Amino acid sequence: GQIMMLWHVDHTLELCCIWQELHLLLTIWHFLHFMNGNNKIVEYINKFVSLTDKEAEVFCAAFKEKKVKKRQFIVQPNFIVRSRNYVLKGAFRAYVLDENGQESTISIAIEDWWIADYNSYILQTPATMFVVALEDSIVLELSYEDENRLKLENHKFETFFRIRAERTAAFM
């Protein structure tokens, strides 16, 4: 009985150590992936507000990386826009159709820019425009709910999004 108990304790300790090492490796992998994949967005936000490493990690964790094919729509009229998009790679065009079917470009977004139908996103009402990828692209998608959670958790995020809104309004 005592030998079996010692064997069990030894193997339990081994499994515990292996689990801790695995957890550490996963944490390191996540950190490296976070730094490589989201470094652009961290550099971008730091132009407006200064984040600690922990704040940057919290901010980036709210985004989901999404690959978008050329000619794929990320916004279409009559659907509520549930997220805004930061362009990591590629280009997008936002446009509306008039009553004759004539297209009018509202905006273009390239790397390091944001794109959405902001009226739909902010007011959570149906979109009135199209947003389409002009080439294969990668965006960091931030949901409306996650953005609001970030703003409630840290005033720096609130400040960042206020500055973004002011700059967007200034260019309209």
Side-chain angles (χ1 to χ4, degrees), residues 2-19:
Q2 248 181 339
I3 293 173
M4 188 62 145
M5 182 71 149
L6 289 174
W7 180 88
H8 180 71
V9 169
D10 281 348
H11 285 283
T12 302
L13 287 174
E14 281 180 35
L15 288 174
C16 187
C17 289
I18 291 170
W19 179 252

Side-chain angles (χ1 to χ4, degrees), residues 45 48-51 55 58-59 84 122 142 144-167:
I45 191 172
F48 304 96
V49 293
S50 183
L51 298 181
E55 289 168 334
V58 168
F59 186 74
R84 66 165 74 206
I122 292 167
L142 178 64
Y144 180 79
E145 293 78 15
D146 285 338
E147 179 179 333
N148 285 319
R149 179 185 50 77
L150 286 172
K151 290 175 185 176
L152 287 172
E153 289 176 3
N154 188 318
H155 74 89
K156 289 181 183 180
F157 302 140
E158 178 76 34
T159 299
F160 168 73
F161 287 111
R162 178 187 48 77
I163 292 169
R164 285 293 317 128
E166 289 170 353
R167 291 195 177 196

Side-chain angles (χ1 to χ4, degrees), residues 30 34 38 41-42 54-65 140-142 146 149-150 157:
H30 176 9
F34 156 74
N38 294 329
I41 190 82
V42 172
K54 181 63 178 165
E55 289 168 334
E57 186 177 346
V58 168
F59 186 74
C60 290
F63 288 83
K64 292 179 182 74
E65 187 173 295
L140 293 178
E141 192 176 64
L142 178 64
D146 285 338
R149 179 185 50 77
L150 286 172
F157 302 140

